[in-house]
Amino acid sequence: MDSSDQFPSVNATLGEGEGVHPICTEWRENPESSVFYLANIFLVLGFMGGSGFYGLLYLFCFLALGFFCSSIWAWSDPCTTDTFSWNFVLFVICVVQVVHVAYRLRSVTFEKELQDLYSYMFKRLGVSLTQYGKIVACTDGEIHTLEKDHYFAMEGKTAIDKLSVLLSGRIRVTVNGEFLHNIYPFQFIDSPEWDSLRPSEDGVFQVTLRADNPCRYVAWRRKKLYLLFAKHRYIAKVFALLVRNDIADKLFSLNDKAFDNRGFRYDLRLPSFCHVPGPELEQAELFLSVPEQQAGGSKSSTTTT
């Protein structure tokens, strides 16, 4: 049996609907309008966005513009009804994402001093605002104040129970009354003490830290910070890098600025000779020389260790 005899109504329906819904059977001879090209430019720019909140905001803003222009272009052509529908839906989704990201970005803003701390120390290491928010949460959002000539820690008395970063001011570090170095803004105040102890150990400061002028600092309690490290290994690695880099800076600062009472510079690379002046070091080398007998003669040479 012929298939045309089975479905005569279908053929009739298609024939009647040709005037209502035009069928596109040929390619366009004229180029698309400028809105079409503008839409694609916006889409290309959008997909070039980066990571983080600002990257997402950039991405969805340009995608929304691209899909909006595509919707305008599709609306002008009766043959692209489905294209218009999809582009308009994607435009609405991108607008919702822009609003959502903007709200989240607004909700993780910080005080100026904490924002400066993020820009100076954490942003360059790729720490996102969300991760930084978790770091700030460990401080309870509290910034401490230290008045001039007040002590942050006293040698042999103050317990090591936190990790602190100086936000403003200057702190003087001494041991047995002798000056070692200064601590400046965005440097850790107690990084050597922090790194010298294990999480389960207790200790006291071996130096005295006194404020030269009014100071403000932020501090993390040991227990809270170690709990954060256990949950977020990336944050633990960031702090390990920052703390050890800060210790290295302090050691070089100590090597350049610390002198003994005779005017000789301490050399931390040679701890056994840190108080010995140059002439005495040359005399010490004589005692470290070992005679070496050469084969076949009595001539000896001196090898310095």
Side-chain angles (χ1 to χ4, degrees):
M1 182 179 293
D2 190 3
S3 59
S4 61
D5 297 335
Q6 294 181 356
F7 306 101
S9 59
V10 175
N11 296 334
T13 304
L14 290 175
E16 294 174 357
E18 289 181 356
V20 180
H21 301 287
I23 300 176
C24 301
T25 59
E26 298 180 357
W27 290 98
R28 287 177 176 269
E29 297 181 358
N30 298 325
E32 300 292 345
S33 63
S34 59
V35 178
F36 174 81
Y37 299 104
L38 182 62
N40 285 277
I41 292 174
F42 281 138
L43 293 176
V44 170
L45 292 176
F47 287 117
M48 295 172 63
S51 59
F53 282 109
Y54 291 104
L56 290 176
L57 197 61
Y58 173 92
L59 169 67
F60 287 116
C61 282
F62 275 99
L63 289 185
L65 291 173
F67 289 128
F68 178 71
C69 292
S70 295
S71 300
I72 295 176
W73 166 78
W75 178 261
S76 61
D77 189 347
C79 296
T80 55
T81 304
D82 54 342
T83 304
F84 166 78
S85 301
W86 278 109
N87 280 282
F88 187 77
V89 169
L90 292 173
F91 163 71
V92 173
I93 293 175
C94 288
V95 170
V96 172
Q97 287 291 334
V98 168
V99 175
H100 175 66
V101 173
Y103 174 78
R104 292 185 62 188
L105 187 63
R106 182 177 180 273
S107 64
V108 294
T109 54
F110 308 98
E111 297 182 24
K112 183 180 183 304
E113 290 173 309
L114 294 176
Q115 188 66 39
D116 292 341
L117 176 64
Y118 170 74
S119 301
Y120 190 87
M121 295 184 64
F122 294 94
K123 185 177 181 180
R124 60 182 179 177
L125 296 178
V127 178
S128 66
L129 285 174
T130 303
Q131 293 169 326
Y132 183 64
K134 296 175 182 178
I135 295 173
V136 172
C138 288
T139 68
D140 298 326
E142 184 178 0
I143 298 178
H144 305 272
T145 301
L146 188 66
E147 299 297 334
K148 182 180 180 180
D149 293 331
H150 284 205
Y151 290 91
F152 176 87
M154 297 191 68
E155 182 179 349
K157 296 181 179 180
T158 306
I160 304 171
D161 59 353
K162 58 188 175 183
L163 178 65
S164 308
V165 174
L166 186 64
L167 300 177
S168 62
R170 186 180 65 190
I171 292 179
R172 182 183 182 89
V173 182
T174 59
V175 57
N176 297 325
E178 295 185 5
F179 171 76
L180 292 181
H181 62 87
N182 289 319
I183 299 175
Y184 298 97
F186 305 119
Q187 291 183 341
F188 285 99
I189 300 176
D190 44 7
S191 55
E193 290 75 15
W194 170 272
D195 196 59
S196 64
L197 297 179
R198 295 179 179 179
S200 59
E201 294 179 341
D202 296 323
V204 294
F205 279 82
Q206 302 301 314
V207 294
T208 298
L209 295 94
R210 189 187 68 181
D212 278 350
N213 45 36
C215 300
R216 288 171 64 82
Y217 66 93
V218 61
W220 295 271
R221 292 293 175 182
R222 284 172 58 89
K223 292 183 178 179
K224 284 189 175 182
L225 201 53
Y226 278 123
L227 287 175
L228 180 67
F229 292 167
K231 295 179 181 178
H232 304 279
R233 301 302 302 170
Y234 176 73
I235 295 178
K237 293 178 180 178
V238 168
F239 266 88
L241 176 63
L242 289 173
V243 167
R244 290 165 186 174
N245 182 70
D246 184 80
I247 293 173
D249 290 340
K250 285 182 171 62
L251 289 175
F252 279 110
S253 175
L254 180 63
N255 190 51
D256 290 338
K257 298 180 181 180
F259 296 85
D260 63 11
N261 53 8
R262 291 179 294 176
F264 297 107
R265 176 177 295 177
Y266 290 95
D267 192 345
L268 299 178
R269 296 166 298 177
L270 301 172
S272 59
F273 298 115
C274 62
H275 293 84
V276 181
E280 295 184 16
L281 283 177
E282 294 177 358
Q283 295 177 7
E285 290 181 356
L286 296 178
F287 294 100
L288 295 176
S289 61
V290 179
E292 179 181 327
Q293 297 292 337
Q294 294 183 349
S298 60
K299 185 179 180 180
S300 64
S301 62
T302 302
T303 303
T304 303
T305 58

